[in-house]
Amino acid sequence: TSNCGVKLNPEVLLLGVEQHLFKNESTKKILKNIIFVGSLTKRKKIDEILEVASCFSEVNFHIVGDGELRVDLENESSENVIFHGKQPHNMISELFFKMDLHILLSRSEGFPKVILETASSSIPSIVYDSYGANSWIENNENGFVLSKFDDVKMKIQELIDNPELLKRNSEGAYKLSEKFDWKNLITDWEK
């Protein structure tokens, strides 16, 4: 590889989160509310979230965001799916306080900041393993990194059946966010 005469440091500078902007509730015990935050586009696999929602009528699925698919998605969703539209950052923080699990089912992402934001509110994430999330999420400790769609449904059922697993991962998610708090990361950036 060419470095064009510039000395490059191989260490990656990670994104951080302003952890103090989010309310922390680490005693989540029962899975009642799942949240998705993002653009409502095909790439984000919102159709998969709606399919999961149709399998778990006792759980509310909150969709925050806007995009080209919003009208169609609202028309085909079940009663336990609540669309919040695009929300300002402070309202999203308020919503997080009521949530138990975050879901992001796109197959390609960079480093999704929303995972750190939900983790700051003690909310673990369900994500796919196709974009390297397992390099920062430890499966079944601070979130859930899964391979296929059927795994998502099985994991949600497991979290309903085993509230301790949700509680442990909620606590682990908060610890993950501490690691990525800008107060801690800024020294790496300064170097």
Side-chain angles (χ1 to χ4, degrees):
T1 38
S2 172
N3 61 13
C4 299
V6 177
K7 185 179 176 188
L8 299 176
N9 185 341
E11 189 174 324
V12 175
L13 295 176
L14 300 169
L15 287 177
V17 65
E18 292 181 76
Q19 192 183 40
H20 69 278
L21 296 178
F22 300 92
K23 294 180 179 181
N24 175 25
E25 175 60 57
S26 62
T27 58
K28 298 174 188 317
K29 294 182 179 160
I30 298 171
L31 183 58
K32 293 181 185 173
N33 292 290
I34 297 175
I35 192 166
F36 164 83
V37 179
S39 49
L40 305 184
T41 60
K42 285 185 180 187
R43 185 181 76 75
K44 294 291 188 174
K45 301 285 187 187
I46 308 299
D47 57 327
E48 288 187 9
I49 295 172
L50 296 182
E51 187 176 334
V52 171
S54 70
C55 298
F56 298 98
S57 60
E58 71 278 18
V59 177
N60 291 316
F61 287 75
H62 299 262
I63 309 293
V64 177
D66 206 356
E68 62 195 41
L69 300 178
R70 181 171 180 184
V71 174
D72 292 339
L73 294 170
E74 286 180 348
N75 291 333
E76 62 188 61
S77 64
S78 52
E79 288 182 21
N80 62 327
V81 178
I82 301 125
F83 286 88
H84 296 274
K86 189 173 182 177
Q87 295 290 316
H89 207 261
N90 64 325
M91 291 304 296
I92 292 173
S93 178
E94 291 294 322
L95 269 173
F96 285 170
F97 191 65
K98 302 169 189 165
M99 298 300 134
D100 307 306
L101 184 65
H102 169 245
I103 190 167
L104 180 63
L105 298 182
S106 56
R107 291 286 185 175
S108 63
E109 291 287 340
F111 185 90
K113 191 173 178 182
V114 69
I115 290 173
L116 297 178
E117 292 172 342
T118 56
S120 293
S121 294
S122 299
I123 303 168
S125 296
I126 286 183
V127 298
Y128 284 132
D129 62 1
S130 54
Y131 53 89
N134 53 357
S135 66
W136 69 88
I137 295 176
E138 190 176 340
N139 193 38
N140 287 321
E141 293 301 324
N142 57 19
F144 310 97
V145 182
L146 308 173
S147 298
K148 53 189 188 293
F149 180 64
D150 287 338
D151 295 344
V152 174
K153 292 189 275 188
M154 289 186 334
K155 183 56 68 179
I156 290 174
Q157 187 61 57
E158 183 182 3
L159 291 168
I160 291 169
D161 295 340
N162 183 359
E164 275 304 309
L165 181 62
L166 179 61
K167 185 175 186 296
R168 183 178 80 232
N169 278 271
S170 294
E171 292 166 354
Y174 187 75
K175 289 177 186 169
L176 172 70
S177 74
E178 286 178 323
K179 205 166 98 176
F180 286 92
D181 190 321
W182 275 120
K183 289 185 289 187
N184 299 324
L185 284 182
I186 200 71
T187 54
D188 292 339
W189 280 66
E190 285 174 343
K191 289 178 193 174

